C-alpha cells in the first residue's frame, strides 16, 4: 500500500512522451482516441519478426522490408479545379497553402471512416516533441475524438485542475485558447491543452444541459495519479480483494502483482480487477496483466492489412489463476482493457461486470511526412482468443450494471456493489 | 393550385435537405446564365501538381492501413471537402455528383420524370405515390406501391434515395420500366417520361370581413421558374379584382439570386434591390429591372425565422424602398452568396463569393431583417387552419 505512485504530469504527458518513443522505435500501439494520450509503444520490437516496419536506422538484413511504397499518384484535377475557384472567388482571405494542404489531408483521411487513423499537422507534431522534454503539464482529463461530434472530455480526475475549474466528463470542446478544434484530432487537441505548469488554458465547452457554449479557464498543473490502487472490502471469510489499474503503462504488471499478492495473502473470498475508464496502453502489458489471471494459452489474435495473423500467448506463471474473479468495465475501458476483459470472458475465468466497453481493437502506427506532420495509421485489428472482434463492438459484460452520474455524485458504486455481491454469494443477479 | 404540391415538396426536401434552405446561389457554367448581371471571371483551373503531399500521405495509407482503402475518387472528394472546410464557412461546401444532379433539377424547376413522389419507409423500402394526371398514374401506379426494380435491375437492399431518383428520371420521351409491389402482387409499369414541373409558387384570394379582396402569393423557394410563376399569379389576381397583395415568404429558404431580383422587380418600379460586396472590390448594386406587374398595388410581406437568403433580399428590398411592411418574425440572416461550380466529374463546389446588403446598406448576414410588425404565429394555428400573421397583413391592407 505504500508503493510510490508513479509521477505523471497528466496522462497526456505520458501518452505523448511515449508516443514520441514510438516515433523513434517505429511502432506505436494502442493509440486511443483518448487524447490524454494513451499511445504507447510495444516494448519488444524485434518480436515482430518479419515486420513491415523496420525502425529507422536499423540494419534490415534480417527483417523483410516493405517494397517501395506503391506509387500513389492520383489525378488531382478535381483538387486543382477547386483550388482555382477558391483563389478566384472566395469572399474572405484565402487560407495559406499549408492550411489548405492540411485540410485536404484531413479530408482524405476522413474518407477512411476510421476514428483512429488521424493526421497531426506539423505545428502540433512539433508541440508533441516539445512536450516530450517533460516540462509540460496538463489539466487532469482525458479526451477522445467522437465521429461527427468533435472532441469530447471522457474523464475528469478528482482533485486536479480540470475538475477544480468545473470541467465535467461529457463536455464537448469547441475551442482551446481561441483555436477551434472541430476539425482537429484528439492528439492535436491534447497538444494544444498542455503547456507549462501554472499557465492558464481557456476551454470553450458545450454541455448537454446548457443552452450556450461557455468558457472555463483551467490552470495547468502537475497531475499525479496512482497507477494501481488496492483495498480489502469487508472482513472475515466474506472479504473481497480489490485492485484498480489506471492504464497499461510499462510497469503495470510490476506494480499490480505485489498488490495482488498482498491481498491474496489475506485469503479473500474473491478478487475484483477494476478496469473502468482504463484507456489501454502497451500490448505487452496487456499480456503481462492477463498472465496474472489466466492459464497458458492464446491471449490475443492480431490481423493486419494483408491478413497476416499473429497470436500472443499467456504463460502459466500467474499468481491469481484460480481465485473467483470479477472484472469491472465501462464505456471508458478501451483497447488493452478490452483485450484483458475479453480473454477472461473467453476462458470463463471470471465475470465481466459493468457496461459495454469502448470498442477499440486496433493499433496505430505513426508515420512522419516530409512536411513534419504525423500520420497515425490503423495497421492492425485485434480479436479475443475465441476470435471475437473488439473493434466497434466492444466487450459486452456478463452482468450489466450501469452507474449514473447521480450515482457518481452521491459516491455510490452499484457496479462495485454488484461485483462484491456476486463474489460473496456466487449468484448472478437477474437481468 | 392542386393538392399535389406539398407532397411533391416533401419529396424534394428529402433529396435536397438543408442545401435548399441555405440557398442564395448564383450559377456558374452549367444550366442557366445569370443574365450577364454579374461579373464572372473565367475559372482558371491551373495545371500543376495540386497538393503533392496528398500523394505522400496516401501512399502511407495504402501501404499499411488495415481496412479497405477507398477509391481514388472518394479520396479526392475527401480532400476537396477537407480543403473547403479550412474556409470555416458552412455555406462553402462540396457536393457529390448524384446529389448535384438532383439539385440541378430542383433549381431548374422541371425535369424529365414519371410524376411520382417517393420516400423511404421504416423498412428501408422506397414507397411511391403518383402525382395526379402524370405519366406514372396513367401507367397504373397506385399510392403506396413499393418500388422493387428499375428497368429490370432490382434495387439494392438499402437504396439511396438520390440514386433511385436519378435512375427514374431521364430525358423527356424516353421509357422507364418500374417493377412495383402491391401487397403480394408485382406489377410491371412501362412509363414514358414527361416534363414534370415543380412549381415554387401558389396563389389564392382571401376576402376581408369588409369584403375587400387580397391576393396571397406564397413562394416556397426561388427557382428558375419562379419569376414567370409570380408574373402569372399577379396577372390572374389582378384580373380577379384584388385590391391588395400579400407576398408570403415564410419558410422560404432561398434559391437563385436572379429569381429573387426578378421577383422584387415585379413590385418595385425602380430602385436598388440589393448591394453586393466582394473581396477587395467596390460594392455592386443591383437595380430593379423595370416593367413590374404590381408596382403600385398595396403590398405586405410575410416573413419568419426560416425566411432566408433570396427571401431576405426580396423582403429587404421591399422594406428599404418603402414598398411594403414586413409582418411576422425576424428572418434567418443568411446574407452571403455562393457560386456553384460544376467540376469536371459532375460534382460541384459552392463557394461564398459575396455578402449581401439591403439597398440602404443594412447587413443581412448573421443579422436578419426585423419585421415592421413583430408577430409570432402560435404553433397550433396551422393545424386549426388559422393564420394570425396573414390576418395582421390584411389589417394593414384594409384598415
Amino acid at each position: 500500500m505504500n508503493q510510490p505512485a508513479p509521477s505523471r504530469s497528466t496522462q497526456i504527458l505520458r501518452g505523448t512522451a511515449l508516443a514520441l518513443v514510438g516515433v523513434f522505435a517505429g511502432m506505436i500501439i494502442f493509440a486511443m482516441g483518448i487524447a490524454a494520450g494513451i499511445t504507447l509503444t510495444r516494448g519488444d520490437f524485434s518480436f515482430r519478426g518479419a515486420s513491415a516496419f523496420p525502425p529507422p536506422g536499423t540494419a534490415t538484413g534480417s527483417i523483410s522490408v516493405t517494397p517501395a511504397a506503391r506509387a500513389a499518384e492520383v489525378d488531382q484535377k478535381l483538387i486543382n479545379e477547386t483550388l482555382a475557384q477558391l483563389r478566384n472567388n472566395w469572399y474572405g482571405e484565402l487560407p495559406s497553402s499549408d492550411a489548405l494542404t492540411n485540410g485536404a489531408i484531413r479530408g482524405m483521411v476522413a474518407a477512411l471512416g476510421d476514428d483512429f487513423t488521424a493526421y497531426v499537422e506539423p505545428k502540433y507534431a512539433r508541440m508533441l516533441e516539445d512536450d516530450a522534454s517533460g516540462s509540460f503539464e496538463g489539466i487532469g482529463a482525458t479526451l477522445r475524438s467522437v465521429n461527427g461530434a468533435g472532441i469530447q472530455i471522457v474523464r475528469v480526475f478528482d482533485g486536479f485542475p480540470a475538475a477544480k475549474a468545473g470541467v465535467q466528463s461529457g463536455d464537448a470542446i469547441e475551442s482551446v485558447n481561441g483555436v477551434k478544434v472541430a476539425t482537429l484530432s484528439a492528439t492535436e487537441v491534447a497538444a494544444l491543452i498542455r503547456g507549462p505548469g501554472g499557465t492558464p488554458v481557456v476551454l470553450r465547452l458545450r454541455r448537454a444541459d446548457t443552452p450556450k457554449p461557455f468558457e472555463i479557464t483551467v490552470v495547468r498543473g502537475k497531475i499525479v495519479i496512482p497507477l494501481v490502487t488496492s483495498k480489502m472490502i469487508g472482513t472475515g471469510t466474506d472479504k473481497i480483494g480489490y485492485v484498480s489499474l489506471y492504464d497499461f503503462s510499462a510497469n503495470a504488471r510490476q506494480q499490480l502483482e505485489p498488490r495482488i499478492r498482498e491481498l491474496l495473502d489475506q485469503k479473500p473470498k474473491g478478487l475484483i480487477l477494476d478496469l473502468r475508464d482504463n484507456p489501454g496502453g502497451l500490448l505487452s502489458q496487456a499480456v503481462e496483466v492477463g498472465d496474472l489471471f489466466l492459464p497458458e494459452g492464446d491471449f490475443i489474435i492480431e490481423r493486419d492489412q494483408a491478413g497476416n495473423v499473429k497470436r500472443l500467448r499467456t504463460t502459466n506463471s500467474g499468481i491469481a489463476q484460480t481465485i473467483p474473479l470479477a472484472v469491472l468495465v465501462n464505456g471508458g475501458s478501451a483497447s488493452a482493457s478490452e483485450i484483458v476483459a475479453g480473454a477472461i470472458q473467453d476462458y470463463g475465468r471470471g465475470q465481466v461486470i459493468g457496461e459495454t466497453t469502448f470498442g477499440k481493437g486496433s493499433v496505430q502506427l505513426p508515420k512522419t511526412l516530409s512536411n513534419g506532420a504525423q500520420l497515425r495509421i490503423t495497421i492492425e485489428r485485434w480479436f479475443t482468443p475465441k476470435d471475437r472482434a473488439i473493434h466497434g463492438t466492444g466487450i459486452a459484460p456478463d452482468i450489466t450494471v450501469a452507474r449514473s452520474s447521480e450515482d457518481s455524485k452521491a459516491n455510490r458504486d452499484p457496479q462495485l456493489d454488484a461485483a462484491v455481491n456476486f463474489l460473496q454469494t456466487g449468484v448472478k443477479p437477474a437481468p | 393550385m392542386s393538392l399535389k404540391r406539398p407532397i411533391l415538396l416533401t419529396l424534394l426536401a428529402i433529396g435536397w435537405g438543408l442545401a435548399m434552405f441555405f440557398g442564395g446561389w448564383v450559377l456558374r457554367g452549367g444550366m442557366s446564365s445569370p443574365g450577364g448581371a454579374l461579373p464572372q471571371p473565367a475559372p482558371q483551373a491551373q495545371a500543376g501538381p495540386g497538393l503533392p503531399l496528398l500523394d505522400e500521405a496516401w501512399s502511407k495509407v495504402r501501404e499499411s492501413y488495415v481496412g479497405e482503402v477507398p477509391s481514388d475518387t472518394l479520396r479526392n472528394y475527401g480532400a476537396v471537402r477537407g480543403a473547403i472546410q479550412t474556409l470555416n464557412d458552412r455555406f462553402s461546401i462540396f457536393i457529390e455528383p448524384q446529389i448535384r444532379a438532383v439539385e440541378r433539377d430542383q433549381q431548374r424547376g422541371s425535369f424529365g420524370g414519371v410524376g411520382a413522389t417517393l420516400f423511404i419507409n421504416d423498412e428501408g423500402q422506397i414507397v411511391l405515390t403518383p402525382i395526379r394526371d402524370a405519366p406514372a398514374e396513367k401507367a397504373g401506379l397506385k399510392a403506396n406501391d413499393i418500388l422493387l426494380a428499375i428497368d429490370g435491375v432490382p434495387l439494392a437492399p438499402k437504396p439511396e434515395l438520390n440514386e433511385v431518383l436519378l435512375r427514374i428520371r431521364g430525358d423527356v420521351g424516353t421509357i422507364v420500366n418500374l417493377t412495383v409491389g402491391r401487397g403480394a402482387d408485382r406489377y410491371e409499369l412501362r412509363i414514358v417520361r414527361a416534363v414534370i414541373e415543380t412549381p415554387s409558387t401558389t396563389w389564392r384570394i382571401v376576402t376581408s370581413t369588409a369584403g375587400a379582396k387580397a391576393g396571397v402569393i406564397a413562394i416556397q423557394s426561388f427557382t428558375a421558374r419562379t419569376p414567370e410563376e409570380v408574373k402569372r399569379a399577379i396577372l390572374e389576381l389582378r384580373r380577379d379584382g384584388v385590391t391588395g397583395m400579400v407576398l408570403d415568404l415564410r419558410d422560404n429558404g432561398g434559391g437563385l439570386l436572379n429569381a429573387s431580383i426578378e421577383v422584387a422587380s415585379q413590385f418595385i418600379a425602380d430602385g436598388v434591390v440589393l448591394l453586393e460586396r466582394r473581396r477587395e472590390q467596390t460594392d455592386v448594386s443591383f437595380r430593379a429591372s423595370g416593367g413590374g406587374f404590381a408596382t403600385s398595388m398595396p403590398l405586405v410581406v410575410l416573413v419568419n425565422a426560416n425566411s432566408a437568403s433570396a427571401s431576405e433580399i426580396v423582403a429587404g428590398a421591399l422594406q428599404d424602398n418603402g414598398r411594403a411592411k414586413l409582418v411576422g418574425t425576424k428572418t434567418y440572416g443568411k446574407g452571403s452568396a455562393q457560386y456553384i461550380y460544376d467540376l469536371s466529374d459532375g460534382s460541384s463546389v459552392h463557394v461564398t463569393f459575396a455578402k449581401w446588403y439591403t439597398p440602404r446598406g443594412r447587413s443581412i448576414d448573421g443579422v436578419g431583417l426585423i419585421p415592421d410588425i413583430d408577430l409570432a404565429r402560435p404553433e397550433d394555428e396551422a393545424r386549426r387552419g388559422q393564420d394570425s400573421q396573414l390576418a395582421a397583413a390584411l389589417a394593414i391592407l384594409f384598415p
Side-chain angles (χ1 to χ4, degrees):
Chain A
M1 299 289 156
N2 296 324
Q3 306 247 357
S7 157
R8 51 187 73 202
S9 20
T10 89
Q11 41 178 348
I12 296 178
L13 169 62
R14 290 173 43 74
T16 45
L18 285 159
L20 202 79
V21 173
V23 175
F24 297 136
M27 183 77 192
I28 276 200
I29 207 149
F30 281 49
M32 167 83 187
I34 295 184
I38 313 303
T39 47
L40 304 175
T41 56
R42 179 198 294 271
D44 181 6
F45 184 79
S46 62
F47 183 83
R48 295 193 58 82
S51 161
F53 311 107
T58 303
T60 53
S62 61
I63 301 176
S64 74
V65 183
T66 315
R70 273 163 286 172
E73 276 179 37
V74 171
D75 180 10
Q76 296 198 8
K77 188 172 171 200
L78 212 62
I79 295 165
N80 285 324
E81 288 174 344
T82 302
L83 294 178
Q85 300 304 355
L86 298 187
R87 264 195 297 275
N88 287 340
N89 292 298
W90 162 239
Y91 174 81
E93 200 174 318
L94 199 65
S96 69
S97 69
D98 281 353
L100 286 165
T101 300
N102 287 330
I105 295 178
R106 282 179 201 290
M108 220 170 58
V109 168
L112 296 174
D114 174 35
D115 277 353
F116 299 103
T117 298
Y119 180 67
V120 181
E121 65 179 75
K123 179 170 55 176
Y124 299 114
R126 272 196 303 278
M127 288 168 89
L128 292 181
E129 275 175 49
D130 293 345
D131 201 353
S133 66
S135 59
F136 282 4
E137 295 181 353
I139 62 170
T142 56
L143 327 171
R144 75 174 184 208
S145 169
V146 183
N147 205 0
I151 302 294
Q152 196 186 29
I153 297 199
V154 182
R155 187 173 177 187
V156 177
F157 292 93
D158 283 343
F160 295 112
K164 283 184 193 162
V167 176
Q168 293 180 8
S169 69
D171 287 351
I173 304 181
E174 235 172 46
S175 68
V176 177
N177 284 339
V179 179
K180 287 188 181 170
V181 301
T183 60
L184 300 184
S185 59
T187 312
E188 292 174 313
V189 177
L192 268 176
I193 290 176
R194 296 184 47 71
T199 59
V201 56
V202 181
L203 305 179
R204 190 174 169 79
L205 304 172
R206 271 178 288 117
R207 189 171 291 168
D209 58 2
T210 309
K212 281 188 175 166
F214 56 96
E215 287 187 350
I216 289 184
T217 301
V218 187
V219 179
R220 297 166 175 125
K222 204 170 208 55
I223 312 297
V224 182
I225 297 166
L227 180 63
V228 176
T229 66
S230 66
K231 63 183 172 187
M232 193 61 83
I233 298 171
T235 52
T237 53
D238 260 359
K239 62 181 181 290
I240 305 294
Y242 168 95
V243 283
S244 76
L245 182 66
Y246 169 77
D247 70 16
F248 288 81
S249 45
N251 45 1
R253 179 176 188 159
Q254 196 192 332
Q255 290 206 26
L256 196 57
E257 194 162 5
R259 300 291 193 98
I260 291 175
R261 181 168 288 129
E262 222 171 81
L263 291 169
L264 293 180
D265 286 349
Q266 300 171 56
K267 304 271 185 278
K269 192 167 184 182
L271 188 64
I272 295 168
L273 173 63
D274 189 349
L275 297 178
R276 289 178 294 179
D277 291 317
N278 180 325
L282 293 166
L283 178 58
S284 58
Q285 284 301 315
V287 184
E288 292 292 341
V289 169
D291 201 35
L292 293 172
F293 303 98
L294 293 169
E296 188 174 351
D298 280 350
F299 178 71
I300 181 179
I301 303 171
E302 300 174 83
R303 286 196 180 86
D304 68 8
Q305 182 189 47
N308 296 321
V309 174
K310 201 166 69 240
R311 291 163 200 274
L312 300 187
R313 293 172 60 82
T314 44
T315 66
N316 201 16
S317 66
I319 58 165
Q321 289 189 48
T322 53
I323 182 159
L325 182 66
V327 181
L328 294 181
V329 294
N330 64 10
S333 307
S335 194
S337 297
E338 301 178 274
I339 294 175
V340 170
I344 284 172
Q345 218 172 27
D346 279 6
Y347 277 91
R349 175 62 192 88
Q351 295 290 311
V352 175
I353 298 174
E355 293 156 282
T356 300
T357 60
F358 186 85
K360 185 197 180 266
S362 60
V363 191
Q364 280 70 40
L365 176 72
K367 302 246 188 183
T368 300
L369 303 182
S370 57
N371 65 345
Q374 214 185 69
L375 190 59
R376 305 157 86 92
I377 303 173
T378 301
I379 57 162
E380 278 180 2
R381 291 201 200 288
W382 300 322
F383 300 83
T384 70
K386 286 189 176 169
D387 214 358
R388 290 188 292 151
I390 293 170
H391 198 77
T393 51
I395 299 292
D398 301 303
I399 302 172
T400 300
V401 183
R403 188 185 191 198
S404 65
S405 52
E406 284 74 38
D407 287 333
S408 302
K409 273 179 208 148
N411 247 334
R412 288 190 302 261
D413 193 344
Q415 293 167 336
L416 179 61
D417 296 345
V420 170
N421 187 57
F422 168 74
L423 291 170
Q424 285 177 342
T425 63
V427 179
K428 282 170 85 166
Chain B
M1 293 292 285
S2 76
L3 291 170
K4 61 195 172 196
R5 273 201 45 73
I7 312 170
L8 192 58
L9 280 176
T10 310
L11 145 72
L12 290 164
I14 296 168
W16 191 243
L18 287 174
M20 190 65 208
F21 182 75
F22 294 135
W25 296 319
V26 176
L27 297 169
R28 294 288 307 274
M31 63 175 252
S32 85
S33 136
L38 286 168
Q40 296 191 20
Q44 299 161 10
Q46 295 165 355
L51 306 168
L53 209 64
L54 265 60
D55 285 339
E56 183 190 336
W58 201 244
S59 67
K60 304 220 181 284
V61 167
R62 280 194 186 168
E63 191 180 291
S64 37
Y65 180 61
V66 69
E68 197 177 325
V69 177
S71 68
D72 289 348
T73 304
L74 291 182
R75 183 207 100 146
N76 281 342
Y77 287 174
V80 168
R81 250 191 214 104
I84 291 176
Q85 260 180 19
T86 62
L87 303 178
N88 210 357
D89 168 35
R90 67 196 166 112
F91 300 112
S92 295
I93 51 174
F94 171 76
I95 298 188
E96 293 188 11
Q98 283 175 347
I99 296 170
R100 172 60 185 139
V102 175
E103 178 189 79
R104 209 176 278 126
D105 286 346
Q106 169 72 7
Q107 286 162 348
R108 200 185 278 132
S110 71
F111 53 88
V114 300
T117 64
L118 58 168
F119 68 92
I120 296 183
N121 68 13
D122 293 340
E123 282 105 70
Q125 298 167 315
I126 303 252
V127 181
L128 299 171
T129 304
I131 293 171
R132 204 182 308 157
D133 298 331
E137 190 188 65
K138 288 177 190 156
L141 185 75
K142 298 273 187 273
N144 297 319
D145 282 356
I146 305 289
L147 182 62
L148 302 174
I150 302 168
D151 288 330
V153 182
L155 296 190
K158 289 234 165 120
E160 184 75 32
L161 198 61
N162 282 326
E163 213 177 297
V164 171
L165 218 51
L166 289 172
R167 279 172 64 195
I168 296 176
R169 291 180 186 177
D171 291 339
V172 173
T174 58
I175 290 163
V176 61
N177 291 298
L178 301 185
T179 310
V180 298
R182 190 179 304 156
D185 301 326
R186 288 167 73 99
Y187 295 88
E188 296 287 334
L189 308 178
R190 184 174 182 276
I191 308 172
V192 181
R193 294 184 179 103
V195 175
I196 306 296
E197 295 181 344
T198 50
S200 63
T201 309
T202 58
W203 60 92
R204 63 195 166 105
I205 293 176
V206 294
T207 308
S208 76
T209 42
K213 289 205 289 187
V216 179
I217 302 175
I219 305 175
Q220 274 78 27
S221 66
F222 289 88
T223 72
R225 289 163 43 95
T226 304
E228 285 312 311
E229 290 170 4
V230 170
K231 280 183 208 166
R232 211 172 93 208
I234 294 171
L235 292 177
E236 275 190 27
L237 292 167
R238 277 174 45 166
R239 190 194 60 209
D240 292 342
V242 302
T243 54
M245 284 188 186
V246 176
L247 183 62
D248 187 352
L249 298 176
R250 291 175 296 182
D251 298 320
N252 180 332
L256 301 177
L257 171 65
N258 269 53
S260 74
I261 295 173
E262 283 305 306
V263 167
S265 300
Q266 290 307 311
F267 301 99
I268 302 172
D270 186 28
V272 175
V273 173
L274 84 148
L275 303 172
E276 182 190 285
R277 187 166 301 161
R278 306 184 55 157
R279 182 181 69 193
E280 293 162 11
Q281 285 181 25
T282 50
D283 291 357
V284 178
S285 63
F286 290 82
R287 300 189 69 86
S289 55
F293 290 176
T295 53
S296 56
M297 176 90 66
L299 180 70
V300 175
V301 180
L302 296 181
V303 291
N304 65 11
N306 295 328
S307 304
S309 194
S311 293
E312 295 176 289
I313 288 174
V314 173
L318 297 175
Q319 194 179 34
D320 273 14
N321 281 287
R323 177 66 185 87
K325 284 198 163 30
L326 307 189
V327 173
T329 52
K330 196 174 88 163
T331 62
Y332 183 83
K334 196 256 177 192
S336 63
Q338 285 74 40
Y339 276 138
I340 300 176
Y341 295 96
D342 289 331
L343 301 178
S344 51
D345 74 339
S347 56
S348 70
V349 290
H350 291 195
V351 179
T352 299
F353 69 94
K355 300 260 166 152
W356 287 330
Y357 296 81
T358 68
R360 288 188 181 167
R362 288 188 291 156
S363 170
I364 294 172
D365 205 44
V367 183
L369 300 169
I370 308 291
D372 300 288
I373 309 287
D374 194 342
L375 180 66
R377 188 180 185 193
E379 269 178 29
D380 56 348
E381 271 197 1
R383 193 163 37 83
R384 290 190 278 134
Q386 296 170 349
D387 191 342
S388 52
Q389 291 170 333
L390 178 59
L394 294 177
I396 294 173
L397 287 178
F398 309 119

